[in-house]
């Protein structure tokens, strides 16, 4: 029963969000009231607010997932892969797959028009970008065991998210200009290659996951290093505890 209730709640939330998005795309964000969303979705206003505490939540209904995506890619990086490689590699996959989150889909120009036509949505978008960078900084600090107050993870996160922001800005500009999707894809990949070259070696190597063995302390580049056999990394060589 708990699973059924949760599934119904997710379905109701998605239904309300879909209805709201349709209204926003048709009339603009500021022109639509929460009461109108509730009426169109055939739920009460209180129900809308139970699922979406703020009107902006109706439009950015996947905010939590979007904010956590770069951090998730770092947490899930493969052995031998650095944080930058995980994030930039994920961006390349996005460009090839053209998912909705990158905006390389038909109708994205309408989405952009709604956002740019509302001061509150632009403010929310800026807040989400700030939260994404801050969360990535915290993730990098945990992954590398940095001391509290160490600015390095925060600064690495800021540089990686600057690349991320430039790609999204390019997508928005391109759709407003009516560019072809294949032309846009080539431009994004070129920008990503240039951006990666411009990053310092320290940023590109930061938080590199060891290929094997235990994770050791921080290396000179700020990454976690794998302990070499001479560091007693071999489990079979350690005395039993």
């Amino acid at each position: 029963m708990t699973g059924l209730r949760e599934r119904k709640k997710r379905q109701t939330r998605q239904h309300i969000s879909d209805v709201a998005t349709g209204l926003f795309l048709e009339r603009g964000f500021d022109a639509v009231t929460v009461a109108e969303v509730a009426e169109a979705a055939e739920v009460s206003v209180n129900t809308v607010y139970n699922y979406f505490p703020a009107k902006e939540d109706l439009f950015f209904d996947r905010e939590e997932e979007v904010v956590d995506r770069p951090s998730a890619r770092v947490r899930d990086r493969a052995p031998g892969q650095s944080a930058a490689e995980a994030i930039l590699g994920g961006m390349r996959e996005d460009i090839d797959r053209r998912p909705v989150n990158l905006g390389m889909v038909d109708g994205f120009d309408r989405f952009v028009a709604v956002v740019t036509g509302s001061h509150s949505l632009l403010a929310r978008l800026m807040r989400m970008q700030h939260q994404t960078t801050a969360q990535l900084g915290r993730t990098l600090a945990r992954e590398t065991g940095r001391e509290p107050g160490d600015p390095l993870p925060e600064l690495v996160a800021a540089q990686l998210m600057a690349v991320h922001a430039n790609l999204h800005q390019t997508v928005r500009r391109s759709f407003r200009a009516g560019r072809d999707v294949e032309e846009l894809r080539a431009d994004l990949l070129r920008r990503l290659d240039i951006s990666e070259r411009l990053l310092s070696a320290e940023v590109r190597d930061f938080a590199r996951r060891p290929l094997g063995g235990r994770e050791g302390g921080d290396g000179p580049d700020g990454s976690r290093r794998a302990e070499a056999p001479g560091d007693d990394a071999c489990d079979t060589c350690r005395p039993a505890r």
Side-chain angles (χ1 to χ4, degrees):
M1 289 299 296
T2 301
L4 178 61
R5 283 196 297 269
E6 288 302 316
R7 186 162 63 250
K8 286 185 175 180
K9 286 171 65 176
R10 288 196 299 269
Q11 290 172 345
T12 300
R13 186 182 191 278
Q14 189 63 55
H15 171 65
I16 294 172
S17 174
D18 290 345
V19 170
T21 300
L23 291 173
F24 296 148
L25 291 175
E26 179 184 351
R27 296 164 49 195
F29 182 78
D30 295 334
V32 177
T33 67
V34 173
E36 289 173 323
V37 171
E39 181 179 2
E42 298 183 329
V43 298
S44 69
V45 171
N46 285 340
T47 297
V48 175
Y49 279 119
N50 284 339
Y51 286 98
F52 303 95
K55 182 182 173 184
E56 291 76 16
D57 297 331
L58 287 162
F59 193 77
F60 293 118
D61 62 315
R62 298 172 63 187
E63 177 176 344
E64 185 175 338
E65 175 189 342
V66 170
V67 167
D68 187 57
R69 185 174 291 118
S71 292
R73 282 172 167 161
V74 171
R75 293 193 299 268
D76 296 339
R77 70 197 186 282
Q81 192 175 42
S82 70
E85 289 167 351
I87 291 174
L88 299 179
M91 292 180 191
R92 286 192 176 86
E93 291 177 5
D94 285 348
I95 294 170
D96 286 335
R97 292 187 295 108
R98 303 178 191 174
V100 174
N101 63 281
L102 189 59
M104 296 176 66
V105 292
D106 292 336
F108 187 70
D109 54 332
R110 296 168 59 199
F111 180 90
V112 171
V114 174
V115 174
T116 55
S118 169
H119 291 301
S120 61
L121 288 182
L122 284 172
R124 173 60 72 89
L125 184 61
M126 292 178 63
R127 192 188 82 172
M128 288 170 59
Q129 292 169 345
H130 172 77
Q131 290 175 330
T132 303
T133 303
Q135 185 157 317
L136 178 59
R138 291 190 294 269
T139 299
L140 292 174
R142 286 193 298 269
E143 291 290 311
T144 56
R146 312 298 296 192
E147 293 294 330
D150 188 333
L152 188 55
E154 176 185 340
L155 295 172
V156 171
Q159 292 193 45
L160 293 176
M161 287 301 94
V163 177
H164 184 270
N166 181 263
L167 293 186
H168 280 268
Q169 290 167 2
T170 300
V171 171
R172 291 194 291 270
R173 287 196 304 266
S174 296
F175 271 92
R176 287 198 297 268
R179 291 179 65 185
D180 177 74
V181 173
E182 280 304 316
E183 180 186 356
L184 170 59
R185 176 180 176 275
D187 186 19
L188 292 175
L189 290 173
R190 177 172 174 269
R191 285 172 177 269
L192 195 51
D193 289 341
I194 294 173
S195 297
E196 187 169 12
R197 291 202 307 268
L198 292 175
L199 294 174
S200 71
E202 186 172 6
V203 173
R204 294 196 303 270
D205 290 339
F206 193 78
R208 188 174 296 281
R209 177 158 283 169
L211 287 171
R214 294 186 306 164
E215 289 194 5
D218 295 335
D221 61 354
S223 63
R224 298 287 279 186
R225 61 176 176 85
E227 292 185 353
D231 293 328
D232 195 25
C234 177
D235 288 335
T236 61
C237 299
R238 292 196 200 94
R241 289 183 175 83

